[in-house]
Amino acid sequence: MTPVPTEGERATTPAAPAGDTGRTAKRAMAGRLSWGLADQAASSLSNFVVGIYVARSLGLAAFGVFSLAWVTYGVVLSVSRGLATDPLVVRFSGVPDASWRGAVARSSGTALGVGAAIGAVCLVAGLALGGRVGPAFACLGVVLPGLLLQDAWRYSFFAAGTGRKAFVNDLVWGVALVPAMVVAARAGSVAAFVLAWGASAAVAGAYGCLQSGIRPRPAGARDWLREHRDLGYRYLVENVCTSGASQLRAYGLGAIVGVSAVGVVRGAELLLGPFMAVLMGLSLVTVAEAARVLRRAPHRLGTFCLLLGGVQAVAALLWGAALLLVPDRLGELVLGDVWSSASGLIVPAVLGVAGAGLGTGAAAGLRALAAARRSLRSQLFASTCYVVGGLGGAAAAGTTGSAWGVAAATGCGSAVWWLHLRSALRERHDNPIREVRTP
């Protein structure tokens, strides 16, 4: 039975496609997903290269400091996505161009505002801290607006179904990274690498304005936050729980084992770079596609989410199996001194990513349903497990124990995501005229 369109959907709900129309819709979805994979490949490659280059240039301890700045950026990115771009993807995927352009102007303006506000805090905190960590955080504060604007364009293009533009934007960032990293290597400091990484993102952010023909409107941030507060603030808490858990684990691991342990864990994550990047930016493609499936063929949403999560989990396991076959000489060529410690974490890291990949399929379904209350509960549980497992394992068995604790935690979290999606789908089936938006 076709649901009644709601404010949470902002678009007419057509009947499920059939025949030629169905095949055309599938080809269109395949095309959008292909551009999503291409974009994630470009993003993964740039993140991987930056991490490898910094690890080889600075050594384990300095790489640990860079990793602390990196996970802090992840938290800020989660704030921006929850308030600015997650509501955009849920409510403005596949809408008329005029509606999309107005929403993107306010959404990207909100992302800029978040970057400026939190960037100022990071700048002041970094100057106050001093020492080895302070300059890295001060430079992170300077580049945050450009980093968040670039991410906002990616979300915007995927909401419009033009993943090709997101791919090109990431390519621009990658090209700008090359000279920036060379200059940073000559300076030889963590702060220089943070500045190079963020400045190249700002170049891509500026190019996004040319691609879209849209100028971000920071003045529209207040209206945007008010109009989407039913989703935005729940997604904010949910996203911050995700990245905040990673940050707590990194800080806790540094306190329990040492800063070098943070570099070891980051090195293991770099070996799984393609899949980590896909998980971090999953909603760029999958939430928008799940929202389209919900509008056109709602009975297929569960199957779509299961295939999505299953494919990611299997791919992560296959990648992990390949990593186990990498000879030490090649690993040392890539990661330098970080390889000897990071290679010992491949198995638990792979299992953790596979478990998280399976859970993201259910998370995409709950986002498409705008079931913000259920997704928030799931994320709170998963994040709690992550912190407890990561720090409990670190206290019991150091860096290796932390990795195994996280692997167990992601498996438990994934199970909870799927239980909540099953309940949400059952509620929708029993009451198909209910509003998609969770009050």
Side-chain angles (χ1 to χ4, degrees):
M1 182 174 180
T2 302
V4 174
T6 69
E7 183 184 351
E9 294 180 324
R10 300 283 179 89
T12 304
T13 306
D20 291 340
T21 303
R23 286 190 292 272
T24 300
K26 289 179 180 178
R27 284 196 296 269
M29 177 186 292
R32 290 189 296 267
L33 288 175
S34 296
W35 280 116
L37 291 174
D39 175 73
Q40 292 298 340
S43 177
S44 300
L45 181 61
S46 63
N47 289 336
F48 182 76
V49 169
V50 168
I52 296 300
Y53 200 69
V54 175
R56 290 185 59 83
S57 300
L58 299 181
L60 187 58
F63 183 57
V65 176
F66 183 83
S67 298
L68 290 178
W70 185 285
V71 296
T72 302
Y73 157 70
V75 175
V76 180
L77 185 63
S78 296
V79 174
S80 176
R81 288 179 176 177
L83 294 177
T85 50
D86 282 344
L88 175 77
V89 172
V90 171
R91 288 182 169 161
F92 294 92
S93 293
V95 300
D97 185 67
S99 298
W100 174 82
R101 294 181 68 84
V104 168
R106 291 177 292 153
S107 174
S108 58
T110 302
L112 267 179
V114 170
I118 301 183
V121 175
C122 287
L123 177 60
V124 172
L127 293 175
L129 282 173
R132 181 186 296 177
V133 176
F137 276 80
C139 291
L140 177 64
V142 172
V143 299
L144 271 177
L147 286 164
L148 299 190
L149 180 61
Q150 193 276 337
D151 186 73
W153 289 130
R154 298 174 70 207
Y155 267 75
S156 301
F157 292 140
F158 278 111
T162 54
R164 177 182 59 84
K165 291 185 177 181
F167 173 71
V168 172
N169 194 273
D170 267 324
L171 282 183
V172 170
W173 187 4
V175 171
L177 265 172
V178 176
M181 287 288 116
V182 172
V183 173
R186 292 180 178 177
S189 67
V190 177
F193 278 103
V194 172
L195 282 177
W197 167 54
S200 55
V203 172
Y207 181 65
C209 298
L210 297 176
Q211 286 179 290
S212 62
I214 298 172
R215 180 181 299 177
R217 288 179 50 210
R222 180 176 298 178
D223 290 339
W224 178 263
L225 294 175
R226 183 177 64 252
E227 292 170 8
H228 304 285
R229 62 180 178 274
D230 59 312
L231 295 182
Y233 292 117
R234 283 184 177 135
Y235 288 159
L236 167 64
V237 176
E238 182 180 328
N239 290 354
V240 170
C241 283
T242 304
S243 54
S246 298
Q247 191 174 25
L248 285 175
R249 182 211 179 185
Y251 288 165
L253 187 62
I256 295 171
V257 184
V259 175
S260 295
V262 181
V264 172
V265 170
R266 178 59 185 155
E269 291 175 351
L270 282 174
L271 296 175
L272 291 159
F275 301 99
M276 296 300 293
V278 167
L279 293 178
M280 289 177 63
L282 186 66
S283 57
L284 287 172
V285 184
T286 54
V287 174
E289 291 305 320
R292 289 185 175 95
V293 170
L294 179 63
R295 292 186 176 112
R296 296 170 181 170
H299 60 285
R300 297 178 182 171
L301 180 60
T303 302
F304 173 82
C305 294
L306 183 60
L307 287 173
L308 173 66
V311 166
Q312 287 187 95
V314 171
L317 292 174
L318 291 175
W319 182 264
L323 286 176
L324 292 174
L325 301 177
V326 173
D328 288 340
R329 181 176 299 177
L330 180 59
E332 291 172 358
L333 180 65
V334 175
L335 282 180
D337 295 338
V338 179
W339 166 258
S340 60
S341 300
S343 59
L345 303 183
I346 289 177
V347 173
V350 166
L351 293 177
V353 172
L358 185 62
T360 53
L366 287 174
R367 285 286 178 97
L369 289 165
R373 186 172 294 175
R374 285 193 176 278
S375 62
L376 176 58
R377 291 172 183 169
S378 301
Q379 190 57 66
L380 286 172
F381 178 84
S383 297
T384 301
C385 288
Y386 183 93
V387 173
V388 172
L391 296 186
T399 308
T400 302
S402 179
W404 280 106
V406 166
T410 54
C412 295
S414 178
V416 170
W417 276 108
W418 279 102
L419 288 173
H420 272 285
L421 178 61
R422 186 179 66 172
S423 298
L425 291 173
R426 184 181 300 158
E427 289 173 1
R428 183 178 179 84
H429 180 269
D430 294 340
N431 185 19
I433 306 183
R434 64 183 283 272
E435 279 200 351
V436 174
R437 187 173 69 178
T438 302

